Amino acid sequence: NGVGYTSYPDNSIFKFCDVAVRSGMDVFRVFDSLNYVDNLRLGIDAVGAAGGVVECAIGYSGDVLDDASKYNLEYYLNLARE
């Protein structure tokens, strides 16, 4: 997804980032609502190619300190390492 939670072709994302950087935008927050790393990579690559600063975000909910949960602190740490 690009701006507005709409799917756009990859080349549109690259062009948007390029124009945005040339217009003065420097920091881009890149996230995926499902924390799907492959979806994050396009945004990271597009921002990097444009010369912007990537700020990746991972969303979480629940008690990350609950070791019995699949979505515990270790899960999110491993996700961030990807």
Side-chain angles (χ1 to χ4, degrees), residues 23-60:
S23 298
M25 190 170 172
D26 55 353
V27 178
F28 295 74
R29 178 163 291 155
V30 178
F31 70 96
D32 180 77
S33 62
L34 299 176
N35 294 331
Y36 185 56
V37 175
D38 287 340
N39 285 347
L40 295 171
R41 286 197 172 101
L42 173 65
I44 293 167
D45 292 346
V47 172
V53 176
V54 177
E55 204 175 81
C56 256
I58 294 174
Y60 69 91

